[in-house]
Amino acid sequence: MKGRYLSLAASGAALCLTAVTLTGCGAVDGLTGDNEVTLRVVAADYGDNPQNSSAAYWKELADGFHKDHPGIKVEVNVFSWSEVDAKVAEMVKAGKAPDIAQIGAYADYAAAGKLYSTAELLSVKTEADFLAPLADAGKVKQTQYGMPFVSSTRLLFYNEKLLADASVIAKDAKGWQPKSWADLEAAAKKLKGAGVPTPFALPLGREEAQAETMMWMLAGGGGYTDNEESYSIDSADNARTLEFLRDKMVGQGLTGPVEPGKLDRQAAFEAFTKGEVGMLNGHPTLMKQAEAKGVKYGMVALPTSDGSQQPAMGVADWVMAFKNGHRAESGKFLDYLYQPKNVTAFTDKYDLLPATTTGYQAKQAATSGPALRLKPFLTALPSSRLYPVGKKSWAGVSEDIKQNIGKTVQPGGQPAKVLEDIATAARAADPR
């Protein structure tokens, strides 16, 4: 995901495998011996070391598919997240697009007419199984091209000990339920008074500024787009959200010693695991990182500006199929990929949320194991809002946000002006 929460693979080298044996990574023609069709797949690596690389999952998947469909081989090239999108772009530019790609964005390829629609690929059962907000995010002009692969939502994490020591919560409390930004401000002031270095970490650095910003905008009743999916970056609600952060959080010294525009997500996570941060927005990966360091934490929905209910932010990665003349074969493989057992195998391995209704229901029904602790994230998923990834302009808009949004919360920052500049460029790149 752009602004994703997953670790990059330890090695940048591609891991190449086929449905049967490991092979080289050269270009492969559509037909092999005995008239078998070979599907070329490019996928991202969700592991953080060679031992838990996604290559093992894809090999097992390809082996199982080939056993059921002996006329179709599947060759999968697995690349680290730091390079997979660029690798696919290079292949497409060279006229050697893969049949299927599992990467971070699809809209540019869909707008260029290079992708099959999901209706051309999937069985009715598979297509209908995608969670509605994720399926909608995969559409360009009302036609779905992007198939959500995995997803996540975000929650507010807090350090139980730090909040108890600062008398934000009672030492025997079983949880904390802040409702409004006033509750956050009051808690952050108590944490500051108790000597906590960073009462509330606000990472608006390049790593994930677009994610942190969207979480706060949604909580303030705004967002990047309106109900008609037109850009509304410069809305009054969004300006008020950033003014709150500038004046109440940053302005009162409640966000720590590092300027938000220079603080990256992972650095904030690491500070949380060291007991230096009282509160911050996080995703499932932070659970493991905190537990590994013995930090006891709680998780709640990010409070809203006035205590009213607002949607959480969701994030998804995407699968797409290029028009290489293998529509039927690609469709069969994708139907296999989205079988419940295969969805569950991947999401369980990496503590991710499923993109399908059957996968969601299976995790909701879990009474033990990894799925149990993901339930707070699952609860937020069906009503979550995603980045406007269906707009081919989104990549550029996201970069604009990364470069400029941190300025809005500096002393003397001008949220309305910065938002207006970003919105003007966004609308010019995506005229309706």
Side-chain angles (χ1 to χ4, degrees):
M1 308 168 193
K2 301 302 179 187
R4 62 184 49 76
Y5 52 90
L6 301 165
S7 298
L8 300 179
S11 171
L15 298 169
C16 305
L17 50 105
T18 69
V20 182
T21 58
L22 294 172
T23 68
C25 296
V28 179
D29 292 329
L31 296 177
T32 62
D34 300 323
N35 293 322
E36 284 188 323
V37 170
T38 296
L39 294 178
R40 293 179 299 132
V41 178
V42 172
D45 197 341
Y46 289 74
D48 57 8
N49 61 69
Q51 285 68 48
N52 69 355
S53 168
S54 302
Y57 168 84
W58 286 102
K59 184 181 189 310
E60 184 175 352
L61 187 80
D63 284 347
F65 177 78
H66 185 64
K67 183 178 180 180
D68 292 347
H69 302 82
I72 308 173
K73 285 187 176 182
V74 180
E75 179 188 78
V76 186
N77 292 342
V78 178
F79 295 92
S80 73
W81 267 116
S82 63
E83 60 181 350
V84 66
D85 290 304
K87 288 289 185 182
V88 171
E90 291 170 5
M91 295 170 73
V92 172
K93 186 176 181 179
K96 297 179 180 180
D99 293 289
I100 295 169
Q102 184 269 299
I103 52 178
Y106 67 88
D108 281 1
Y109 302 125
K114 296 182 181 296
L115 303 180
Y116 291 116
S117 69
T118 56
E120 295 174 296
L121 294 162
L122 303 177
S123 68
V124 173
K125 181 179 179 181
T126 300
E127 188 176 15
D129 196 29
F130 292 125
L131 288 167
L134 304 183
D136 288 343
K139 294 178 180 179
V140 173
K141 296 182 178 179
Q142 307 306 312
T143 298
Q144 186 179 352
Y145 297 94
M147 290 160 274
F149 181 58
V150 290
S151 62
S152 177
T153 52
R154 305 295 170 92
L155 294 174
L156 175 68
F157 283 67
Y158 60 89
N159 184 309
E160 291 182 348
K161 183 179 185 303
L162 293 182
L163 264 66
D165 290 347
S167 300
V168 175
I169 57 177
K171 292 188 181 295
D172 58 351
K174 295 183 178 180
W176 181 47
Q177 293 295 328
K179 299 298 182 183
S180 69
W181 290 352
D183 295 336
L184 288 186
E185 180 187 353
K189 287 180 176 178
K190 288 186 176 181
L191 288 164
K192 181 182 180 182
V196 175
T198 302
F200 197 111
L202 184 65
L204 294 177
R206 283 189 51 81
E207 183 184 348
E208 272 210 321
Q210 83 287 0
E212 185 74 18
T213 301
M214 183 172 173
M215 282 182 268
W216 283 99
M217 285 181 171
L218 290 173
Y224 290 138
T225 57
D226 59 24
N227 290 334
E228 303 301 321
E229 293 305 313
S230 297
Y231 280 121
S232 58
I233 297 168
D234 54 349
S235 71
D237 285 333
N238 290 342
R240 282 192 290 268
T241 292
L242 293 171
E243 288 166 0
F244 166 79
L245 294 175
R246 179 195 64 192
D247 299 337
K248 300 298 185 180
M249 301 301 286
V250 179
Q252 297 187 91
L254 304 180
T255 55
V258 180
E259 182 182 327
K262 296 179 181 179
L263 179 64
D264 282 339
R265 171 78 61 201
Q266 189 53 44
F269 279 12
E270 290 172 359
F272 185 79
T273 66
K274 294 176 182 177
E276 298 171 356
V277 172
M279 303 174 283
L280 81 170
N281 291 313
H283 46 62
T285 298
L286 183 55
M287 294 190 298
K288 282 187 175 179
Q289 293 181 5
E291 289 162 6
K293 295 295 181 68
V295 174
K296 292 184 177 181
Y297 60 88
M299 300 182 299
V300 294
L302 177 65
T304 61
S305 57
D306 58 3
S308 63
Q309 189 170 356
Q310 298 291 345
M313 188 191 79
V315 181
D317 292 332
W318 302 96
V319 172
M320 62 217 71
F322 287 86
K323 292 181 177 179
N324 286 352
H326 296 151
R327 181 183 63 81
E329 294 85 356
S330 293
K332 289 178 180 179
F333 179 70
L334 291 168
D335 277 333
Y336 185 80
L337 171 66
Y338 284 104
Q339 286 183 10
K341 65 177 183 180
N342 295 325
V343 170
T344 299
F346 195 87
T347 56
D348 281 356
K349 183 178 179 68
Y350 295 107
D351 266 354
L352 297 169
L353 304 186
T356 60
T357 300
T358 53
Y360 175 85
Q361 291 172 341
K363 286 193 179 292
Q364 279 285 58
T367 57
S368 62
L372 190 60
R373 63 182 190 169
L374 290 173
K375 284 193 175 182
F377 295 94
L378 281 167
T379 300
L381 184 58
S383 61
S384 64
R385 292 284 299 274
L386 281 75
Y387 300 136
V389 290
K391 295 179 178 293
K392 65 178 183 180
S393 59
W394 169 242
V397 174
S398 177
E399 182 62 27
D400 203 357
I401 293 167
K402 289 179 181 181
Q403 290 183 9
N404 295 295
I405 207 69
K407 302 172 186 176
T408 66
V409 299
Q410 294 174 343
Q414 298 179 290
K417 178 63 168 63
V418 173
L419 291 177
E420 181 183 2
D421 290 345
I422 296 173
T424 299
R427 293 180 182 124
D430 191 74
R432 294 179 65 87

